[in-house]
Amino acid sequence: MSGPPPDVAAGRLAVRRALTALLADPSTSPGEGAPLVLVACSGGADSLALAACTAHAARGLGVRAGAVVVDHDLADGSAAVAGTAAQRCRDLGLG
């Protein structure tokens, strides 16, 4: 049985470790209900990868996860890129 590519596995593990540490810290306790973690996503490859890793790790830890889509407005067409990023985040299960 094969797993994800090594880079994907490493990203997932890094996010899972960060979320696990955050959940273990009593100063970040959300109180009642499942904690919520948000990931910023501009639509670039790096932020989409982080969004995917966060969605995967959050599901495994029982954490609610969402995305904040950012349009830096640095290039023509950036609004379309942000719209695509928002849809991709929804497809990942990030509200």
Side-chain angles (χ1 to χ4, degrees), residues 20-33:
T20 299
L22 183 69
L23 293 170
D25 183 346
S27 70
T28 61
S29 174
E32 295 183 29

Side-chain angles (χ1 to χ4, degrees), residues 40-48 69-70 72 81-82 84-86 88-89:
C41 185
S42 64
D46 55 346
S47 64
L48 285 168
V69 177
V70 179
H72 295 294
V81 172
T84 299
R88 288 178 135 178
C89 287

